Amino acid sequence: MSNEKIQHEIEQLRNEINHHNTLYYVLDEPQVTDQYYDQLLRKLQALETRSPEFLTADSPTQRVGAEIAEQFESVQHEVPMLSLDNAFDESEMLAFNKRLKELLSMETALQYSAEPKLDGLAVSLLYEHGKLVRAATRGDGRSGENITTNVRTIKSVPLKLNGTKVPQLLEVRGEVYMPLEGFRKLNERQAKNDNKVFANPRNAAAGSLRQLDPKITASRPLTFCSYAIAQCQGESLPDSQYAQMQLVKSLGLPISPYIQQLDSIQACFEYYQDIAAKRGSLAFEIDGVVFKLNDINQQQQAGFVSRAPRWAIAWKFPAQEVMTTLLDVEFQVGRTGALTPVARLDPVEVGGVVVSNATLHNMDEIKRKDIRIGDTVIVRRAGDVIPEVVAAVLKDRKAGFKQPEMPKKCPVCDSEVVQLEGQAAYRCTGGLVCAAQRKEAIKHFASRKAMDIDGLGDKLVEQLVDLKMIDTIADLYSLTLEQLSSLDRMAEKSAQNLLDALDRSKSTTLPRFIYALGIREVGEATALALANYFTDLASVEKSDEETLIQVADVGPVVAANIVHFFDQAENQQVIDTVLAAGIHWPPIEKPDDIDLPLKGTTYVITGTLQNYSRQQAAEILKKLGAKVSSSVSSKTTAVVAGDKPGSKVDKADKLGVTVLDEKAFEDLTGKKDD
Ligand code: I6G
């Protein structure tokens, strides 16, 4: 290929990649698969490697710089980066609107532009002739830090602007933030590698952006949303906030998909309520709604006070994180006997709800966060999740504050508490002796996705167990109208309704029944897989671990839990009793044995694989129809061996059984299953 042709192809590829970036990050309308996009990027990379003379800084291959910075340089903001005034209720919003109307001598309603306030970090992006030349933090508003190398790694920030009407100079302000799903995955990864876990997405975004090594920033799921134009030269700007943001969008920069123009302060109230209602289901955290005068002339007329514009306001939501005192830590016993530390708090309002209890997850978390009784703690309640203690405020700590300790005896039944090897959880050994475990098991049995016993709620189960009317699920179906009617606040009609619901629940399905038994780590999907594999309960009950691990979703730990559950005489007795009460389900047809490529083969997996856990590798093989066994015999098709395989490979060699390395395993199964 001639040089000219190469250059042309490079340009075409860059344009195509930038186009797909806009479709993906700005318009939320991707038109190609990730694979196709990666292919384009690799092709471009190959051409640039072959012809480095055509490499430019705005190429989409040049997001991650190689250099690790020593520190961030300071940059002056030509236009100060201001903050926003806050409002906390309708009356403060009305006062804001009134102030503006007076200031502008307006009799008629003011028009506003509105959008959710993302909980991230304010960043300035400077484009010269369409190319990103500088990114900076807010800092003190007059000068911030130059974080260009890090911001270049954020894929939603275009390195080059789109279109024919690109201004000579454009400074856009916006928020860098971390979506919740990415935050959750990042924290999982951090905890697994014994690294710092972030308290919230905002801290995670801040920590990720302030990395001196841009490779670390690149590995973090950051994204960007524009909210204002600070400077523009060489092109004229539209005269409304809303239209300016549409222009920003047309240049390839992401803007809020929720932005709206509103015709009155009343419309602002409705918008706020609407966003507040959506808050829990958004993919990212927001901490309020920002309202701005839509008319840019009016903005200019209104001007600024000290460090904030008079023409904009952030109507904040109730805080999701507040401080309070940790009064005590108690231990709650769950269905499987696991003891969860629960914080008893000085009651405090979080996100609009009074909270007096919060989870501390487990003892490892308490140690990691170094939380002590008496501490001032930060409590967080986001969306529908259970309130949690995220951190202790160390400056308030007094000598003598002690870390809570796991009790040696169950607080409910006084049985011994043990920690199983290799597990973070501590468990009560009381089993069915423990009223807490029995209560939880019954609640689970009655729950919607299990036996769906309408009217048998948590409070009623607790009452029935406390009054010794029922001990286990076996007693549910012999409850009488007389017994139930004798309960506090239970009219005869409600008692009869509950008996009818119990009767209706007898007609169920095998997956529901298996799930309802509450076997440790057997969720709905596993229960369904067990039911489909075995087709009847008796076969599940008598199966061994070797057979159970053939079932999709079942690994050695779950298999051991299942065998252990059915080995308990008390569990068998409970099952027999409820079945005798008339629980039944329709028979399951065994699905036609589809001709899977590895049907009839048996594999053993040993050692440490680089790209898969043994469980993942087993799942891949099982999905292709193979059996997976834990021991090598002459019937074994092959042994898949990772690092440090041990005696299984020796045995395979002796028996003449094939041994596959990870590469051969991938060739056999097609690809990495992710
Ligand atoms: O901190 C901010 C968040 C969101 C803002 C802002 C915004 O608009 C949606 N707008 C301005 C003008 C300022 N700060 C100063």
Coordinates of all heavy atoms in Angstrom, one line a residue, residues 408-454:
K408 N -19.4 -16.4 71.6 CA -19.1 -17.8 71.4 C -20.3 -18.7 71.4 O -20.3 -19.8 70.9 CB -18.2 -18.2 72.6 CG -17.0 -17.4 72.8 CD -15.7 -18.2 73.0 CE -14.4 -17.5 72.9 NZ -14.4 -16.2 72.3
K409 N -21.4 -18.1 71.9 CA -22.7 -18.9 72.0 C -23.7 -18.1 71.2 O -23.7 -16.8 71.2 CB -23.2 -19.0 73.4 CG -22.3 -19.9 74.3 CD -22.6 -21.3 74.0 CE -21.6 -22.3 74.7 NZ -21.7 -22.3 76.1
C410 N -24.7 -18.8 70.5 CA -25.7 -18.2 69.7 C -26.6 -17.3 70.7 O -27.1 -17.8 71.7 CB -26.6 -19.2 69.0 SG -28.0 -18.6 68.3
P411 N -26.8 -16.0 70.3 CA -27.6 -15.2 71.2 C -29.1 -15.6 71.2 O -29.8 -15.2 72.1 CB -27.5 -13.8 70.5 CG -27.1 -14.0 69.1 CD -26.3 -15.3 69.1
V412 N -29.5 -16.5 70.3 CA -30.9 -16.9 70.4 C -31.1 -18.3 71.1 O -31.9 -18.4 72.0 CB -31.5 -17.0 68.9 CG1 -32.9 -17.5 69.0 CG2 -31.4 -15.6 68.3
C413 N -30.2 -19.2 70.8 CA -30.4 -20.6 71.3 C -29.3 -21.1 72.2 O -29.4 -22.2 72.7 CB -30.7 -21.6 70.2 SG -29.2 -22.0 69.2
D414 N -28.3 -20.3 72.3 CA -27.1 -20.6 73.2 C -26.3 -21.8 72.7 O -25.4 -22.3 73.4 CB -27.7 -20.9 74.6 CG -26.7 -20.4 75.7 OD1 -26.0 -19.4 75.4 OD2 -26.6 -21.0 76.8
S415 N -26.5 -22.2 71.5 CA -25.7 -23.3 70.9 C -24.3 -22.7 70.6 O -24.2 -21.5 70.5 CB -26.3 -23.9 69.6 OG -27.5 -24.4 69.9
E416 N -23.4 -23.6 70.4 CA -22.0 -23.1 70.0 C -22.0 -22.4 68.7 O -22.7 -22.7 67.8 CB -21.1 -24.3 70.0 CG -19.7 -24.0 70.3 CD -18.7 -25.1 69.9 OE1 -19.2 -26.3 69.9 OE2 -17.6 -24.9 69.7
V417 N -21.1 -21.3 68.6 CA -20.9 -20.6 67.3 C -19.6 -21.0 66.8 O -18.6 -21.1 67.5 CB -21.0 -19.1 67.5 CG1 -20.5 -18.4 66.3 CG2 -22.4 -18.7 67.9
V418 N -19.5 -21.4 65.5 CA -18.2 -21.8 64.9 C -18.0 -21.1 63.6 O -18.9 -20.5 63.0 CB -18.3 -23.4 64.5 CG1 -18.4 -24.2 65.8 CG2 -19.4 -23.7 63.6
Q419 N -16.7 -21.0 63.3 CA -16.3 -20.4 62.0 C -15.9 -21.5 61.1 O -14.9 -22.2 61.5 CB -15.2 -19.3 62.1 CG -14.9 -18.6 60.8 CD -13.9 -17.6 60.9 OE1 -13.0 -17.6 61.8 NE2 -13.9 -16.6 60.0
L420 N -16.5 -21.7 60.0 CA -16.1 -22.8 59.1 C -14.8 -22.4 58.4 O -14.6 -21.2 58.0 CB -17.2 -23.1 58.1 CG -18.5 -23.6 58.6 CD1 -19.5 -23.9 57.6 CD2 -18.3 -24.7 59.6
E421 N -14.0 -23.4 58.2 CA -12.6 -23.1 57.6 C -12.8 -22.4 56.2 O -13.6 -22.8 55.4 CB -11.9 -24.4 57.4 CG -10.5 -24.4 58.1 CD -9.8 -25.7 57.9 OE1 -9.2 -25.8 56.8 OE2 -9.8 -26.5 58.7
G422 N -12.0 -21.4 56.1 CA -11.9 -20.7 54.8 C -13.1 -19.8 54.5 O -13.3 -19.3 53.4
Q423 N -14.0 -19.6 55.5 CA -15.2 -18.8 55.3 C -15.2 -17.6 56.2 O -14.8 -17.8 57.4 CB -16.5 -19.6 55.5 CG -16.7 -20.6 54.4 CD -18.0 -21.3 54.5 OE1 -18.9 -20.9 55.2 NE2 -18.2 -22.5 53.8
A424 N -15.8 -16.5 55.7 CA -15.8 -15.3 56.6 C -16.9 -15.5 57.7 O -16.8 -14.9 58.8 CB -16.0 -14.1 55.8
A425 N -17.9 -16.2 57.3 CA -19.1 -16.3 58.2 C -18.9 -17.2 59.4 O -18.2 -18.2 59.3 CB -20.3 -16.8 57.4
Y426 N -19.5 -16.8 60.5 CA -19.6 -17.6 61.7 C -21.1 -18.1 61.7 O -22.0 -17.5 61.3 CB -19.4 -16.7 62.9 CG -18.0 -16.3 63.2 CD1 -17.5 -15.3 62.4 CD2 -17.2 -16.9 64.1 CE1 -16.2 -14.8 62.6 CE2 -15.9 -16.5 64.3 CZ -15.4 -15.5 63.6 OH -14.1 -15.1 63.8
R427 N -21.2 -19.4 62.2 CA -22.6 -20.0 62.2 C -22.9 -20.5 63.6 O -22.1 -21.1 64.3 CB -22.6 -21.1 61.2 CG -22.7 -20.6 59.8 CD -22.8 -21.8 58.8 NE -22.3 -21.3 57.5 CZ -23.0 -20.5 56.8 NH1 -24.2 -20.1 57.1 NH2 -22.5 -20.1 55.6
C428 N -24.2 -20.4 63.9 CA -24.8 -21.1 65.0 C -24.9 -22.6 64.7 O -25.4 -22.9 63.6 CB -26.1 -20.5 65.4 SG -27.2 -21.6 66.3
T429 N -24.5 -23.5 65.6 CA -24.6 -24.9 65.3 C -26.0 -25.5 65.7 O -26.1 -26.7 65.7 CB -23.5 -25.7 66.0 OG1 -23.5 -25.3 67.4 CG2 -22.1 -25.3 65.4
G430 N -26.9 -24.6 66.2 CA -28.2 -25.1 66.7 C -29.1 -25.8 65.7 O -29.9 -26.6 66.1
G431 N -29.0 -25.5 64.4 CA -29.9 -26.0 63.4 C -31.3 -25.8 63.8 O -31.7 -24.7 64.2
L432 N -32.1 -26.9 63.8 CA -33.6 -26.7 64.1 C -33.9 -26.4 65.5 O -35.0 -26.0 65.9 CB -34.3 -27.9 63.6 CG -34.4 -28.0 62.1 CD1 -35.2 -29.2 61.6 CD2 -35.1 -26.8 61.4
V433 N -32.8 -26.5 66.4 CA -33.0 -26.2 67.8 C -33.1 -24.7 67.9 O -33.8 -24.1 68.8 CB -31.8 -26.7 68.6 CG1 -31.8 -26.1 70.0 CG2 -31.7 -28.2 68.6
C434 N -32.5 -24.0 67.0 CA -32.4 -22.5 67.1 C -33.7 -21.8 66.5 O -34.0 -22.0 65.4 CB -31.2 -22.0 66.3 SG -31.0 -20.2 66.4
A435 N -34.4 -21.1 67.4 CA -35.7 -20.5 67.0 C -35.4 -19.5 65.8 O -36.3 -19.4 65.0 CB -36.3 -19.8 68.2
A436 N -34.3 -18.8 65.9 CA -34.0 -17.8 64.8 C -34.0 -18.5 63.5 O -34.5 -18.1 62.5 CB -32.8 -17.1 65.1
Q437 N -33.2 -19.6 63.4 CA -33.1 -20.4 62.2 C -34.4 -20.9 61.7 O -34.7 -20.9 60.5 CB -32.0 -21.5 62.3 CG -30.6 -21.0 62.4 CD -29.6 -22.1 62.4 OE1 -29.6 -22.9 61.6 NE2 -28.8 -22.1 63.5
R438 N -35.2 -21.4 62.7 CA -36.5 -22.0 62.3 C -37.4 -20.9 61.7 O -38.0 -21.1 60.7 CB -37.1 -22.7 63.5 CG -36.5 -24.1 63.8 CD -37.2 -24.8 64.9 NE -36.9 -24.3 66.2 CZ -37.7 -23.8 67.1 NH1 -39.0 -23.6 66.8 NH2 -37.3 -23.4 68.3
K439 N -37.4 -19.8 62.4 CA -38.2 -18.7 61.9 C -37.8 -18.3 60.5 O -38.7 -18.1 59.6 CB -38.1 -17.4 62.8 CG -38.8 -17.5 64.1 CD -38.5 -16.3 64.9 CE -39.1 -16.4 66.3 NZ -38.6 -15.3 67.2
E440 N -36.5 -18.1 60.3 CA -36.1 -17.7 58.9 C -36.4 -18.8 57.9 O -36.7 -18.4 56.7 CB -34.6 -17.4 58.9 CG -34.2 -16.2 59.8 CD -35.0 -14.9 59.5 OE1 -35.1 -14.6 58.3 OE2 -35.5 -14.3 60.4
A441 N -36.2 -20.1 58.3 CA -36.5 -21.1 57.3 C -38.0 -21.1 56.9 O -38.4 -21.3 55.8 CB -36.2 -22.5 57.9
I442 N -38.9 -20.8 57.9 CA -40.3 -20.8 57.6 C -40.7 -19.6 56.8 O -41.4 -19.7 55.8 CB -41.1 -20.8 58.9 CG1 -40.8 -22.1 59.7 CG2 -42.6 -20.7 58.6 CD1 -41.3 -22.1 61.2
K443 N -40.0 -18.4 57.1 CA -40.3 -17.2 56.3 C -39.9 -17.5 54.8 O -40.6 -17.1 53.9 CB -39.5 -16.0 56.8 CG -40.0 -15.5 58.1 CD -39.0 -14.3 58.5 CE -39.2 -14.0 60.0 NZ -38.1 -13.1 60.5
H444 N -38.7 -18.2 54.7 CA -38.3 -18.5 53.3 C -39.2 -19.4 52.6 O -39.6 -19.2 51.4 CB -36.9 -19.1 53.4 CG -36.3 -19.6 52.1 ND1 -35.9 -18.7 51.1 CD2 -36.3 -20.8 51.5 CE1 -35.5 -19.4 50.0 NE2 -35.8 -20.7 50.3
F445 N -39.7 -20.5 53.3 CA -40.6 -21.5 52.7 C -41.9 -20.8 52.2 O -42.4 -21.1 51.2 CB -40.9 -22.5 53.8 CG -41.7 -23.6 53.4 CD1 -41.2 -24.7 52.7 CD2 -43.1 -23.7 53.7 CE1 -41.9 -25.8 52.3 CE2 -43.9 -24.8 53.2 CZ -43.3 -25.8 52.5
A446 N -42.3 -19.8 53.0 CA -43.6 -19.1 52.7 C -43.5 -18.0 51.6 O -44.5 -17.6 51.1 CB -44.2 -18.5 54.0
S447 N -42.2 -17.6 51.3 CA -42.0 -16.5 50.5 C -42.6 -16.6 49.1 O -42.8 -17.8 48.6 CB -40.5 -16.1 50.5 OG -39.8 -17.1 49.9
R448 N -42.7 -15.5 48.4 CA -43.4 -15.5 47.1 C -42.8 -16.4 46.1 O -43.5 -17.2 45.4 CB -43.4 -14.0 46.6 CG -44.5 -13.7 45.6 CD -44.5 -12.3 45.3 NE -43.2 -11.7 45.0 CZ -42.5 -11.8 43.9 NH1 -43.0 -12.5 42.9 NH2 -41.3 -11.3 43.7
K449 N -41.4 -16.4 46.0 CA -40.8 -17.3 45.0 C -40.7 -18.7 45.4 O -40.3 -19.6 44.6 CB -39.4 -16.7 44.7 CG -39.4 -15.4 43.9 CD -38.1 -14.9 43.8 CE -38.1 -13.6 43.0 NZ -36.8 -12.9 43.1
A450 N -41.0 -19.0 46.7 CA -41.0 -20.4 47.2 C -42.4 -20.9 47.1 O -43.0 -21.0 46.0 CB -40.3 -20.5 48.5
M451 N -43.0 -21.2 48.3 CA -44.4 -21.8 48.3 C -45.5 -20.7 48.1 O -46.6 -21.1 48.0 CB -44.6 -22.6 49.5 CG -43.6 -23.7 49.7 SD -43.6 -24.9 48.4 CE -45.0 -25.8 48.7
D452 N -45.1 -19.5 48.2 CA -46.0 -18.3 47.9 C -47.3 -18.4 48.8 O -48.4 -18.5 48.3 CB -46.4 -18.3 46.4 CG -47.0 -17.0 46.0 OD1 -46.9 -16.0 46.8 OD2 -47.7 -17.0 45.0
I453 N -47.1 -18.5 50.1 CA -48.2 -18.6 51.0 C -48.7 -17.2 51.4 O -48.1 -16.5 52.2 CB -47.9 -19.4 52.3 CG1 -47.3 -20.8 51.9 CG2 -49.1 -19.6 53.2 CD1 -46.8 -21.6 53.0
D454 N -49.8 -16.8 50.7 CA -50.3 -15.4 50.9 C -50.7 -15.2 52.3 O -51.4 -16.0 52.9 CB -51.5 -15.3 49.9 CG -51.6 -13.9 49.4 OD1 -50.6 -13.2 49.5 OD2 -52.7 -13.6 48.8

